[in-house]
Amino acid sequence: MSDGPLSGRTVLEIDDRVASSYAGRVLAACGARVIRIEHPHRGAPTRRLGPFLDAGDEYEGGAVFHFLNGNKESITLDWTDAYGSELLGALARHAAAAVDARPPEERAPALPDSCATVAIDNFARGDPFRSWLADDMMVQLVAIDSGQTGYVGREPIRGAPDDAEYIAGAAAAYAVIAAILMTARGDPGARAEVALRDASMLMPTRHLTQARFTQRFQPRPEGPRPMSILPCLDGFANIQTGLPWGRIVDMIGDESLRGDPRFQTLPDRLAHAEELNALLIGWAATVTREELGDRAERARVTGGALLEAGELVTNRHYAERGAFVPVDDERYPGLRLPFAPFRISTLAWRSPGLGPRAGEHTTQVLSELCGLEAATVARLHQAGVA
Amino acid sequence: MTGRAHLPLAGKRVIDFGEVMAGPFCCSLLADLGAEVIKIESTSRLPALSRGGLTGPSQKKRYGYRHGIPGDRPFERYTLFHNVERNKLGLTLDLGTSQGKDLFASLVGKSHAVVSNYSAGTLARLGFPNERLHELNPNITIAFMPAYGSTGPYRNRLAFGQVTDMLAGRAWVRGYPETAPYDTPLQSLADSVAGTHAAIAVLLAMAQADGSGAGAVIDVSHAEAMQQHLAEHVARAWLGQPSGTRGNRETWAAPHNAFPTRPEPDPNDPCADDHWIAIAVHTDAQWEALAEALGGGLRVDARFATLIGRKRNEEALESAIGALTREWDRWGLAARLQSVGVPAIPVITEYDSQFDRSLYERGVLAHLNHPWAGPTDYLGPIARFTNADIHTWRPANALGQDNADVLGRVLELDAAEIAALEEAGVIGSTYKVGRGT
C-alpha cells in the first residue's frame, strides 16, 4: 500500500446534500483531505437524516451522516456574507477541487481557477425542469426508469430512497478525480456539473435509449412477471428462468421434467407460465434460500436470496469479505455500516470514523489555511459568519 | 479546451474484456475521459445478451432489434450493445488460439488497464492470471468485477442485475409497501453503480501506477457498490426499527407520492391512460398551498392540518388527493403547483422523453450514425465538463471494426500478417458460430 493520487490534495465540500457528501466519502476514503463547509444558520441536511443512534443526535447527525462523513473536517462559514465569501475564495486557493452543492444563485463569485469545481444540482442547466422544486423521489420519477416501474393502475414506484443522490455522488467523485488529473497534466480549473436527473438517466440499466432504439414503446405491465420472486422455507429468492431448461432441471433435481415439452424453450415457458410458476413455487418451498443459491450455482443458474437489510451484516459471504465494518465508537457496539464500493490492492480504503461535529474544525482550518487568529474566528462566530 | 488530446486520460490505453453491462459501462466512462479503449470480442462465441441471439440475416420482426428488424447483420443491431458501448475501438481476438493469446499478451504490454466483468478466474483460465499480466506489464491496472467480488463463498455465482439487486439487499427497501416483497418490480441498477465505481477505482489506480510503476489489482463487487445506498436501512435494522420498503412515502413529508392525472389524447402514447404527477410536501406552508390549489375541501379537513395528522391519515390523504389530481393534466397541474411553491413534477416515461430536445443540447444523448443500425441515440457522459471536450463522439463499434487499425498501429503488424490472422480465424468481422432465424 502506498499513497494514492489524492494524498496531499484538499477537496472542499461546499454546502450539503447526500450526493456531495457521498462524493466526499469516496474521495476522503481514498486519501484526500476533505473539508465540509456548512452554512452556520441553515444547518446541513445530511445531519437530519435518520435513523438517529442517540437522543440529541438530530443536532449532530445519525447513522447516515456518519457513514457519509467519516474522515472529514467540518467548518461553518456563511458564503453569502461578503467576508465569508472572501474566506471561501482563500480556502479554495489551497484546494485541488471543490464539490459545490450550493444553490446555483449562491455560486458567485467563481472559485479561483486553480480549484477545479464540480457542481451538483437536481436538474442540469438546459433541463426544462432546471428551476423546479424537487426531492430525490421526484427526480427518480422523471429519470425515465422509475416512471416506468410498477404496474398499471398503481403509482409508479421509485427505487431505493436516495438512489439518485448516491448515483450523482459517485458521478461527482469520478468528475473530481478526472479534474484533478487534468490539473496534473497542466490544464487546471476544470468546471463540471453533475445533475441527479441526468446522472440517473445515464445509467445504462435505465431505459432512456432502449425504446428509442427499437421504436417500441410499451405500457407498464399489468402486474408482476411470473416466476419472479419465490417463497422459500426461510424467506424469498429469485432465479432467472431464461436459461437452458436442462440447467433448471439440474437445480431442481427432478429428472422427470427434463423432456417436458411445456418448458423446453423460453417461449414454451412463457406459454405455460402458470404451470411453471406453480412448479417452481412448490420446489422453492422445500429449500432454504441458501440451499437454493448453492444449487443454482452448481447448476449454472442465476439465482439467490432476497436478503433483508438486517441479514446483510451476518450473511456468510459479506461477513467473509468484510463488506460491513464496525463504527469506530464504543457507544454503538455491533453497529456495522457498508465498507468500500471497491478494493484497490495498492491503495487502502481508509476505515471511517464518526463524522465531525458542525464547525468542529473551523478555528483550526481558518487559522491554518487563511491565517486567521483564534480571536478573529471567535468574532466571526459571534457575527454569524463562521 | 477542445480536442481529445487534452482529456485527462489521453494517452492511456484500456482493454475492455467484458460483456453485457458493468465492465463495458466502466470502460465507456474511461473512454469518455479520453482513454483509447479497445473492446475485445470473440467471433467464436456469440454474447446473446449484448449482441442478440442471431448471427445470420433475418428480416423478420423481432424484439430488441433496431426498429424491430434484425437485418443482414443482426448482431450490429441489438439494443443492449448500443446502450452501453460508446467511444471505443472494436478488436476481435479468438483467445482459444495460441495466436490470439500472443496478440492479447502483446496488447497487455502496451496498455495501462484491463477491465473484466466475467466471473472470477476467467482471465486466469485463459492463461492470464494476475502474475502473468504483471509479468507482461508491471504497470498495468487489472480490474475484476464479478457480481459478488473475487473472494468469498458467492465468488463463483452467476449473476444478473435483478438477482444482484435482491442479494445485495436493495430489493428489500423498494417496491409497494403493502405487498412487498412478493411483487416488487424487478430492477437491475447494480451493474451501473458498479461500473461507475470501477471507473473511479481504475482512474485512481492508473494515476497511482504512473508514479509508482506498479499496477494494482482492483476488485469491484456489484453488491458492495450497491450497498453504499443502504446505510440507512442497515442502521435501522441494527436499531430494531422497520427496515423494509416505504414505497414513495417519507417519514417527515406527506403527501409524498405519485398521483394519477387525466388521460392524454395521444393515440401513439402507450401510457395515455396511465399518467401521474409526483408531489412531495415537506412543510405546512407547502401543504396549505397544495390544498388551496387542489380545492375539494382539503384545506378545511382537520385530519390533514398538521404533518402528524397527515401521516396518521395517509391513506385517506392520498385517496383524497388522487381523486382531485385525476381531473388535471399532469403538466398543467405541476406547473401550477410549482408556481405556488409546491414540489410537484409530471412523471416522465420513455415515450415522453422522445419529445425533449434538450437531452441532445446538454449532451445526455448524442445522435450518431452507426454503419449497420443507422442514425442512433447514444448515452452521454455522466458529468458535463464545460471547459473540456468530453462527449459521446463515436457510436458502438461494429464487430472487428478496428482490427486493422489496432493490429497495425498498436501492435505493429503489417497487412499480410493481419490478412493471415483473418484467414486463420483468429480475427474476423462475422461470427463463426451460426445462429440463424
Side-chain angles (χ1 to χ4, degrees), chain A residues 161-221:
Chain A
D162 285 330
D163 269 348
E165 292 274 355
Y166 283 103
I167 287 168
Y174 158 89
V176 165
I177 297 164
I180 287 174
L181 296 179
M182 286 165 81
T183 303
R185 297 175 68 113
D187 288 329
R191 296 284 180 264
E193 301 169 348
V194 170
L196 268 69
R197 181 186 185 213
D198 288 357
S200 289
M201 287 195 291
L202 288 163
M203 296 293 111
T205 39
R206 301 288 164 126
H207 294 164
L208 183 58
T209 52
Q210 292 178 22
R212 285 165 184 264
F213 187 85
T214 56
Q215 281 296 299
R216 187 170 138 160
F217 295 94
Q218 292 183 292
R220 295 193 301 154

Side-chain angles (χ1 to χ4, degrees), chain A residues 135 174 204-205 209 290 321, chain B residues 29 83 154 192 208 224 256:
Chain A
D135 67 5
Y174 158 89
T205 39
T209 52
E290 274 302 282
R321 282 182 57 83
Chain B
L29 297 179
N83 194 37
Y154 298 166
S192 297
Q208 191 181 25
E224 287 163 26
H256 196 273

Side-chain angles (χ1 to χ4, degrees), chain A residues 12-25:
Chain A
L12 305 180
E13 218 181 273
I14 313 174
D15 212 349
D16 179 62
R17 65 187 301 162
V18 171
S20 54
S21 295
Y22 184 68
R25 162 178 159 82

Side-chain angles (χ1 to χ4, degrees), chain A residues 26-386:
Chain A
V26 173
L27 299 167
C30 293
R33 176 186 186 186
V34 176
I35 302 172
R36 287 171 55 81
I37 302 177
E38 303 181 37
H39 196 285
H41 313 312
R42 296 178 200 158
T46 60
R47 291 187 186 275
R48 297 195 282 268
L49 295 172
F52 300 106
L53 302 169
D54 271 331
D57 277 357
E58 59 270 34
Y59 301 108
E60 289 298 348
V64 178
F65 178 80
H66 295 305
F67 166 75
L68 292 169
N69 294 301
N71 296 324
K72 296 181 190 174
E73 295 162 55
S74 165
I75 71 166
T76 47
L77 188 65
D78 181 357
W79 52 81
T80 64
D81 172 85
Y83 187 53
S85 171
E86 209 174 294
L87 287 174
L88 177 61
L91 289 171
R93 276 188 280 282
H94 294 276
V99 180
D100 195 344
R102 289 176 292 175
E105 63 275 13
E106 293 181 7
R107 290 185 192 143
L111 300 178
D113 273 355
S114 57
C115 177
T117 61
V118 176
I120 300 181
D121 296 297
N122 285 337
F123 303 113
R125 280 186 299 143
D127 188 320
F129 297 124
R130 169 70 168 175
S131 61
W132 288 41
L133 301 169
D135 67 5
D136 181 87
M137 173 202 70
M138 294 169 61
V139 171
Q140 290 196 41
L141 292 174
V142 289
I144 309 307
D145 196 54
S146 294
Q148 297 278 114
T149 301
Y151 311 122
V152 168
R154 299 176 74 174
E155 69 275 21
I157 192 96
R158 66 174 167 185
D162 285 330
D163 269 348
E165 292 274 355
Y166 283 103
I167 287 168
Y174 158 89
V176 165
I177 297 164
I180 287 174
L181 296 179
M182 286 165 81
T183 303
R185 297 175 68 113
D187 288 329
R191 296 284 180 264
E193 301 169 348
V194 170
L196 268 69
R197 181 186 185 213
D198 288 357
S200 289
M201 287 195 291
L202 288 163
M203 296 293 111
T205 39
R206 301 288 164 126
H207 294 164
L208 183 58
T209 52
Q210 292 178 22
R212 285 165 184 264
F213 187 85
T214 56
Q215 281 296 299
R216 187 170 138 160
F217 295 94
Q218 292 183 292
R220 295 193 301 154
E222 298 283 338
R225 282 212 317 239
M227 311 172 281
S228 51
I229 297 178
L230 304 170
C232 295
L233 282 172
D234 59 347
F236 297 86
N238 172 259
I239 58 165
Q240 290 293 307
T241 49
L243 296 159
W245 177 242
R247 295 193 203 178
I248 295 169
V249 173
D250 290 343
M251 178 184 72
I252 296 173
D254 182 349
E255 283 304 315
S256 69
L257 294 167
R258 196 170 293 280
D260 194 319
R262 295 172 299 170
F263 307 133
Q264 293 302 309
T265 66
L266 184 59
D268 293 338
R269 278 168 247 165
L270 289 172
H272 299 91
E274 280 189 24
E275 291 151 88
L276 181 57
N277 223 12
L279 190 155
L280 291 173
I281 287 172
W283 171 72
T286 66
V287 294
T288 65
R289 291 170 298 167
E290 274 302 282
E291 283 166 351
L292 181 146
D294 288 343
R295 290 173 73 153
E297 181 184 327
R298 284 197 296 275
R300 313 268 316 143
V301 170
T302 319
L306 191 166
L307 293 180
E308 300 181 17
E311 295 176 308
L312 295 172
V313 171
T314 53
N315 171 276
R316 63 187 171 114
H317 177 76
Y318 298 127
E320 185 171 318
R321 282 182 57 83
F324 295 86
V325 287
V327 169
D328 184 20
D329 191 298
E330 60 191 20
R331 287 177 297 168
Y332 316 127
L335 174 60
R336 288 171 178 265
L337 292 173
F339 180 47
F342 50 72
R343 320 281 177 97
I344 305 176
S345 63
T346 53
L347 181 64
W349 178 274
R350 285 203 286 171
S351 278
L354 295 186
R357 295 191 311 279
E360 182 177 342
H361 305 91
T362 305
T363 305
Q364 178 202 324
V365 168
L366 292 182
S367 158
E368 178 192 343
L369 300 182
C370 301
L372 299 189
E373 291 179 0
T376 311
V377 177
R379 279 198 297 279
L380 287 172
H381 184 66
Q382 278 177 345
V385 175

